Amino acid sequence: MRIYELVQQLVNEGEKRQLIKKEDKIYVRNQLLALLQLDTFSLEQPLTDSQAVNVMDELVIPELVEQLVEYACQHNIIEDFFDSKEIFSAKIMNCFIARPSEINEIFRQKYKESPSAATNYFYSLSKNSNYIQMKRIRKNIKYKVPTEFGELDITVNLSKPEKDPKQIEKEKNSPKQSGYPTCVLCVENEGYAGRLGYAARSNHRMIRIPLKGENWFLQYSPYVYYNEHCILLSENHRNMQISRETFRNLLLFVERFPHYFLGSNADLPIVGGSILSHDHYQGGCYDFPMAKATSDYSFTLNRYSEVECSIVKWPMTVIRLRANQKEEIIDAANYILGKWKNYSDEQVNVLAFTNDTPHNTITPIARIKNGKYEMDLVLRNNRTNEEHPLGIFHPHADVHHIKKENIGLIEVMGLAVLPARLKEELVEVEKYILEQPNKLKEYHLPWAEKLKLQYASQLTEQNVSDIVKDEVGKIFLRVLLDASVFKRDAKGKQALQAFIHHLNNNYYRKK
């Protein structure tokens, strides 16, 4: 029967990917049979390579799991809706994965070889166990757009599947669920089976990373946006807060894993761009456009003369600190944070408080570069007003047709994560500017009209897609410029100089 072939091929792939050893194969096969409610097993002859699922190696396991899930649906083992299938899929792969203690021990042994050997092991495990959804991630549209600040990364996010009607109906009629796990980032998610409306995590594992006497946990994002996109989360469920300890934790981590960067989303709504209810950071093995950016100019912090300070040539306002000792950067970063949190300049709409509500914070990113500690401090402000109800330093209304969501850590560093709707909508934009029949969304009309006029003499069916992609990149650049607290015009540059002066002289520029 075909089902036995699928089971055996998955077991073989598990051995090939070093999820299990030869001695484990019969045990794992029996675990799979139990899940599939099969009490016997029979292969007329051993599987040959020609019988294998014919897909790219990295996608073999996801393809096999999907077929086993489909079998389970057809035979009424599970219900045919999204969460039920996700839970069953994770349970299948959990048969192949060791307990957290064993995985952590292997990670520690690999770390003795090198930090990259340890992360390579865990990243491969997370992909091969189907925790990282490689098949779905491959659907994402990715490309680069050159700008005066270097190339920006553009991603149209197609990896997260939409809920099917059955799922939506079940969620609508289901009773209120318990508060366990406390949130989607809590350590309680490790091995959690999942439930209606809550992600399956049977095949989820975390690495224990102690930092300054506190337990932190390393995992990879199930939908990685860049190479080795990892999350470092606190053992304690507490709100995110940018503080001296944040800077210390970021630098301690990159000290232990110097091939990775680590950054934190800001800790205020609008500019936070992430889950603010659980303290966590994001990192990985990737050079973001901002990390490659050069300096506009250097300056000196009188109190911290041993720290190299510069303003990064970047659409947003970024202070870069470099030093040989991490304590020097921690002190300087904490000093700048304190000054910025209480800084106001009404001439550029920067107000530190509205009554007792704070508006200023920082998005910090740490790395080790050319043998020195390096930290970028991106100045953020989350004020709103009547003209910009979603945020003064947020994508403005005229670019919401492309990007309306908050600008978090990943976007700050130059990688656009754009909504899935754009895959189809941009095709209609292309048709419109070629004057072909189309279903253009009304909110794209002003932009599409502008493109049609701008490129009227050079538009062809062969180049229209590249033109539209390039223009999307320019809009993302505009998004970053909108999010900058000190604009790159003369007024903004003067305001930034005033803040630097304030850092050294306790100077406050009044209206």
Side-chain angles (χ1 to χ4, degrees):
M1 289 179 65
R2 175 65 174 158
I3 184 60
Y4 298 136
E5 294 175 1
L6 291 172
V7 168
Q8 190 59 49
Q9 189 178 347
L10 183 57
V11 171
N12 293 346
E13 283 297 321
E15 182 189 16
K16 180 179 176 182
R17 305 289 168 194
Q18 299 181 345
L19 291 172
I20 60 173
K21 297 179 180 179
K22 184 177 180 179
E23 297 87 343
D24 301 320
K25 291 175 72 174
I26 293 175
Y27 169 83
V28 170
R29 186 176 71 196
N30 283 333
Q31 295 298 301
L32 295 176
L33 294 176
L35 282 175
L36 295 163
Q37 298 182 10
L38 297 168
D39 55 11
T40 185
F41 179 81
S42 175
L43 280 179
E44 293 183 1
Q45 56 187 8
L47 286 172
T48 64
D49 290 341
S50 63
Q51 292 172 299
V53 175
N54 186 25
V55 292
M56 295 177 65
D57 276 358
E58 201 172 53
L59 303 185
V60 171
I61 286 177
E63 288 282 348
L64 289 167
V65 170
E66 282 186 7
Q67 292 186 49
L68 293 178
V69 169
E70 184 60 29
Y71 172 91
C73 290
Q74 292 173 356
H75 290 77
N76 298 318
I77 297 168
I78 61 172
E79 293 185 78
D80 186 7
F81 65 91
F82 180 76
D83 276 357
S84 179
K85 291 188 282 189
E86 291 287 281
I87 290 169
F88 194 74
S89 172
K91 286 180 178 179
I92 288 172
M93 291 314 302
N94 188 48
C95 297
F96 291 85
I97 312 174
R99 293 183 178 182
S101 57
E102 183 177 337
I103 290 171
N104 275 263
E105 179 58 30
I106 296 172
F107 187 90
R108 285 191 289 269
Q109 294 303 318
K110 294 284 186 182
Y111 186 86
K112 291 178 182 178
E113 298 175 28
S114 70
S116 59
T119 55
N120 287 344
Y121 155 73
F122 188 48
Y123 191 54
S124 294
L125 174 72
S126 299
K127 289 190 293 185
N128 291 333
S129 65
N130 208 33
Y131 177 73
I132 296 177
Q133 299 279 346
M134 292 306 299
K135 183 177 179 182
R136 294 174 185 171
I137 291 163
R138 286 184 182 275
K139 297 176 183 178
N140 290 345
I141 298 170
K142 295 184 178 182
Y143 61 95
K144 296 179 182 290
V145 173
T147 73
E148 63 178 295
F149 304 98
E151 289 186 323
L152 298 180
D153 293 330
I154 309 298
T155 297
V156 178
N157 182 20
L158 305 173
S159 57
K160 293 187 179 181
E162 296 182 3
K163 295 178 180 180
D164 56 64
K166 293 179 184 177
Q167 171 87 15
I168 294 170
E169 185 66 22
K170 280 186 172 290
E171 287 190 18
K172 185 170 66 175
N173 296 323
S174 66
K176 182 176 174 61
Q177 300 290 347
S178 69
Y180 181 89
T182 309
C183 81
V184 295
L185 287 179
C186 280
V187 296
E188 299 154 357
N189 288 278
E190 190 173 41
Y192 185 69
R195 61 176 186 264
L196 180 65
Y198 197 95
R201 290 291 180 259
S202 292
N203 58 337
H204 178 35
R205 301 293 185 270
M206 301 181 185
I207 300 298
R208 279 62 180 164
I209 307 287
L211 292 178
K212 199 176 174 287
E214 183 181 10
N215 288 330
W216 289 74
F217 293 76
L218 178 68
Q219 66 176 64
Y220 290 102
S221 169
Y223 296 99
V224 291
Y225 292 128
Y226 52 86
N227 187 49
E228 299 180 48
H229 177 185
C230 68
I231 299 169
L232 187 70
L233 56 98
S234 170
E235 181 177 32
N236 300 312
H237 180 77
R238 61 171 182 245
N239 290 341
M240 289 183 65
Q241 183 179 8
I242 304 300
S243 66
R244 182 186 187 87
E245 290 307 304
T246 306
F247 305 135
R248 181 181 299 280
N249 287 338
L250 297 182
L251 290 172
L252 283 171
F253 180 86
V254 297
E255 184 178 57
R256 293 176 63 177
F257 299 93
H259 59 301
Y260 273 19
F261 80 90
L262 192 69
S264 175
N265 267 290
D267 55 353
L268 293 179
I270 297 176
V271 296
S274 187
I275 300 168
L276 300 183
S277 61
H278 195 113
D279 203 3
H280 71 285
Y281 315 125
Q282 295 183 75
C285 188
Y286 187 69
D287 283 331
F288 276 85
M290 191 176 78
K292 301 175 187 176
T294 57
S295 297
D296 269 338
Y297 56 87
S298 299
F299 66 94
T300 300
L301 275 179
N302 294 340
R303 294 188 177 204
Y304 306 97
S305 57
E306 70 282 2
V307 179
E308 301 170 24
C309 306
S310 62
I311 299 299
V312 179
K313 185 180 179 182
W314 191 244
M316 297 182 70
T317 308
V318 185
I319 298 173
R320 179 165 291 166
L321 308 178
R322 301 188 76 236
N324 291 313
Q325 303 297 324
K326 63 177 178 291
E327 291 297 330
E328 296 170 351
I329 289 189
I330 293 168
D331 289 343
N334 190 55
Y335 173 76
I336 293 171
L337 174 66
K339 288 292 187 180
W340 173 243
K341 288 176 76 170
N342 293 285
Y343 186 77
S344 295
D345 188 338
E346 294 183 17
Q347 294 184 39
V348 288
N349 284 315
V350 172
L351 294 179
F353 293 92
T354 299
N355 298 321
D356 294 328
T357 302
H359 296 305
N360 288 349
T361 187
I362 280 175
T363 299
I365 303 102
R367 64 185 76 90
I368 291 179
K369 194 170 184 179
N370 299 325
K372 288 190 174 184
Y373 296 96
E374 185 172 282
M375 182 172 287
D376 289 345
L377 305 176
V378 188
L379 305 185
R380 312 299 303 273
N381 178 287
N382 77 340
R383 281 188 66 223
T384 62
N385 61 15
E386 189 173 334
E387 182 183 2
H388 303 294
L390 297 183
I392 298 171
F393 305 103
H394 178 87
H396 291 174
D398 62 323
V399 295
H400 285 178
H401 64 106
I402 297 295
K403 178 70 173 177
K404 186 177 181 179
E405 297 78 15
N406 293 350
I407 303 305
L409 173 67
I410 293 173
E411 282 98 353
V412 161
M413 295 186 291
L415 192 161
V417 181
L418 302 179
R421 61 179 171 81
L422 291 178
K423 179 185 178 182
E424 304 297 335
E425 291 178 10
L426 294 179
V427 172
E428 300 306 316
V429 171
E430 293 171 16
K431 292 177 182 177
Y432 180 87
I433 62 179
L434 287 171
E435 297 186 337
Q436 297 175 350
N438 62 82
K439 297 178 180 178
L440 183 73
K441 296 288 186 182
E442 186 176 350
Y443 47 73
H444 287 305
L445 183 58
W447 179 57
E449 279 287 352
K450 178 184 173 184
L451 296 185
K452 186 161 67 169
L453 290 172
Q454 182 178 349
Y455 293 99
S457 63
Q458 51 187 295
L459 273 174
T460 67
E461 289 194 10
Q462 287 70 41
N463 68 13
V464 66
S465 179
D466 288 338
I467 287 173
V468 170
K469 283 183 177 179
D470 191 60
E471 290 296 325
V472 168
K474 291 177 182 178
I475 286 181
F476 178 56
L477 174 57
R478 243 295 306 282
V479 163
L480 296 181
L481 291 168
D482 285 347
S484 180
V485 293
F486 297 123
K487 307 305 182 190
R488 295 188 64 84
D489 56 16
K491 185 178 181 181
K493 289 177 180 179
Q494 184 183 12
L496 177 53
Q497 286 288 337
F499 177 65
I500 293 172
H501 190 76
H502 171 72
L503 291 176
N504 281 321
N505 298 284
N506 200 29
Y507 176 81
Y508 180 88
R509 190 173 79 153
K510 296 184 181 294
K511 185 174 178 180

